[in-house]
Amino acid sequence: MLPPVLEIYLVWHPRDAAGAEIVAQLDAHFHGDLFTGLIGGAVEVYARSEGWLRPGGAPRQIPVPGDPPPNGVAQAQYVVIVPVLDFRLAQAAADRDGEWYEYLAAIRGAQYDAPDRVAVFPVLADLRADEGALGELFGELVYIVVNGVTGETPQDRRRRDLVQSIAQFVGGDAGRRLTVFISHTRRTAEGDGGQPQEITERVRAVIAQTRLADFFDAQALGPGRDYSEEIARAAASSALLALRSDHYASRDWCQREVVTAKTAGMPVVILDALVRGDPRGSFLMDHAPRVPVDGDDGGIWAGLNLLVDEWLKRLLWRRQHELAERAAPGLGVGWWAPHAPEPTTLAIWLARAYPAGDRPASLRILHPDPPLGGPEREVLARVAALGGIATLEILTPRQLAARGG
């Protein structure tokens, strides 16, 4: 067990309904299949609502950097506090000498004292709550709103905005929006009705309704820039959304973009938008989450939300790697793979990790759950053997824990 990476605290007045709904949603989300694949304790969600010393009073204090560790438990590397600004909370905070005002003022103070470790992302549940004391305390911050947009529920939008904000904070880029690299092909064929261009336009229209940024080939570049170099740089530093239309998998540039993103450890999500079918396919396109796209934009929203989740998951995994190097150096892990390895990523990682060819006789790879299947591990073992590695261990955190390290 490593020290916690991220702790999320939801703060709301017990007589406001929105807070309980949000904490239930986030608790289910961060304890679902995607994030439980990390080492235990990577992210936890806590509620702060009921009075700690008396009914109706302020909740239990939130442990923040600089405070003594509660019961000797290590402090989280990052603390995210989400005050839910609703009507009853505004009433309680109106008394500048009261418990609730002091409690909320301490939250802002913690962010001022340790901005690299404490972030505050207020949710505006009631427009009236932005007035008075709550506006004074949190009005300088960008609010997360609860109204929806076309094709997306308010709950999904709120969750994505919060996950995106957390990812930018944990990644050290709180002031820069996450960028979605739109990998696509312009190639059309008889019978597809211009489908590649149509799905691309729909994706960009959906992204325009979010807080995300997008990178869209030459339109994102200024005159005189090296096209191939800039495309490779963007694919290696952005979350890649691959629009898999009928001819996508056979296009050289599309293949390069996917490989560049995978080997750089960037998240990749495939939007399946096949119309007539794919006559060839590509092994480079497999081994990534994929979401079907139909006539409406529901699949596009789902793909974007999954991409943001994958981004945060990989950042948390990277932080766990850094913690393990300090707290548990005896794990003997050669490669902390951000995603279950595949022949493409393993071959490229081996060439980069051991450029002189002096590879070890045994190699242990750790990656987030779920685990690979037996046939998949066998193929990877053959790839490693070709590189001189006789023994290849590929484990997830649960498998490693079951073996006792």
Side-chain angles (χ1 to χ4, degrees):
M1 181 68 72
L2 296 175
V5 176
L6 172 65
E7 291 180 347
I8 304 171
Y9 291 86
L10 272 291
V11 178
W12 76 97
H13 193 279
R15 295 175 61 191
D16 287 327
E21 174 192 335
I22 296 171
V23 76
Q25 178 192 32
L26 294 181
D27 186 68
H29 185 67
F30 285 111
H31 291 97
D33 292 340
L34 184 64
F35 289 97
T36 54
L38 302 169
I39 298 174
V43 54
E44 294 293 344
V45 178
Y46 298 99
R48 289 292 189 270
S49 179
E50 298 293 338
W52 178 240
L53 298 178
R54 62 178 184 84
R60 182 180 181 181
Q61 289 296 321
I62 296 172
V64 295
D67 292 344
N71 302 317
V73 178
Q75 291 277 10
Q77 192 172 7
Y78 301 100
V79 176
V80 168
I81 305 173
V82 184
V84 181
L85 310 186
D86 213 335
F87 181 66
R88 300 296 182 185
L89 184 63
Q91 286 186 319
D95 180 5
R96 270 45 170 203
D97 296 321
E99 293 180 42
W100 272 102
Y101 183 86
E102 291 184 4
Y103 187 86
L104 297 173
I107 288 174
R108 284 294 275 143
Q111 182 184 29
Y112 282 125
D113 293 340
D116 58 334
R117 294 188 60 188
V118 179
V120 179
F121 301 123
V123 173
L124 185 60
D126 188 321
L127 294 178
R128 296 170 295 176
D130 187 32
E131 303 171 357
L134 295 184
E136 295 171 11
L137 290 170
F138 303 109
E140 296 179 356
L141 302 176
V142 177
Y143 293 142
I144 293 173
V145 296
V146 295
N147 59 303
V149 293
T150 304
E152 185 180 40
T153 67
Q155 293 80 6
D156 286 343
R157 181 187 182 188
R158 181 180 59 210
R159 185 189 66 208
R160 185 192 61 253
D161 282 353
L162 183 57
V163 173
Q164 178 182 342
S165 299
I166 295 172
Q168 291 171 185
F169 169 58
V170 173
D173 296 316
R176 185 175 67 88
R177 292 186 296 170
L178 296 185
T179 300
V180 177
F181 184 105
I182 303 174
S183 178
H184 66 105
T185 177
R186 291 193 181 92
R187 181 177 177 182
T188 60
E190 183 179 353
D192 66 13
Q195 182 255 2
Q197 287 83 356
E198 184 265 340
I199 187 65
T200 302
E201 292 170 1
R202 286 168 55 195
V203 168
R204 298 199 74 195
V206 167
I207 292 177
Q209 300 178 68
T210 72
R211 298 178 190 265
L212 298 164
D214 70 47
F215 183 95
F216 184 70
D217 58 46
Q219 295 187 26
L221 303 178
R225 304 291 290 274
D226 186 312
Y227 180 84
S228 59
E229 180 180 318
E230 290 294 324
I231 291 290
R233 180 197 59 78
S237 59
S238 309
L240 190 137
L241 190 68
L243 312 187
R244 188 169 182 177
S245 52
D246 290 357
H247 298 279
Y248 177 84
S250 63
R251 306 302 290 165
D252 184 75
W253 265 110
C254 297
Q255 293 181 4
R256 291 182 187 278
E257 289 164 0
V258 172
V259 171
T260 298
K262 283 185 174 183
T263 54
M266 294 293 104
V268 176
V269 169
I270 309 291
L271 288 185
D272 260 330
L274 300 177
V275 174
R276 302 181 67 184
D278 187 344
R280 178 181 177 280
S282 170
F283 66 88
L284 299 173
M285 305 296 174
D286 222 342
H287 203 58
R290 61 187 61 233
V291 178
V293 177
D294 298 318
D296 58 26
D297 291 338
I300 298 174
W301 284 110
L304 284 174
N305 292 344
L306 179 57
L307 196 61
V308 173
D309 283 332
E310 286 284 347
W311 189 297
L312 177 57
K313 177 183 176 181
R314 292 180 187 228
L315 288 171
L316 295 174
W317 181 254
R318 187 187 306 167
R319 298 294 178 253
Q320 288 195 313
H321 176 197
E322 295 166 356
L323 288 170
E325 292 294 311
R326 298 193 297 266
L331 290 177
V333 177
W335 181 22
W336 286 70
H339 186 68
E342 58 184 278
T344 301
T345 56
L346 176 59
I348 293 176
W349 181 84
L350 286 173
R352 291 176 177 172
Y354 305 101
D358 52 342
R359 300 184 176 109
S362 62
L363 175 66
R364 172 179 283 184
I365 299 174
L366 190 68
H367 69 87
D369 280 286
L372 293 170
E376 292 173 313
R377 293 195 303 272
E378 291 171 7
V379 170
L380 292 172
R382 294 191 186 104
V383 172
L386 293 173
I389 297 174
T391 304
L392 180 67
E393 276 189 301
I394 305 175
L395 303 170
T396 68
R398 288 188 179 89
Q399 291 173 324
L400 182 64
R403 294 181 51 170

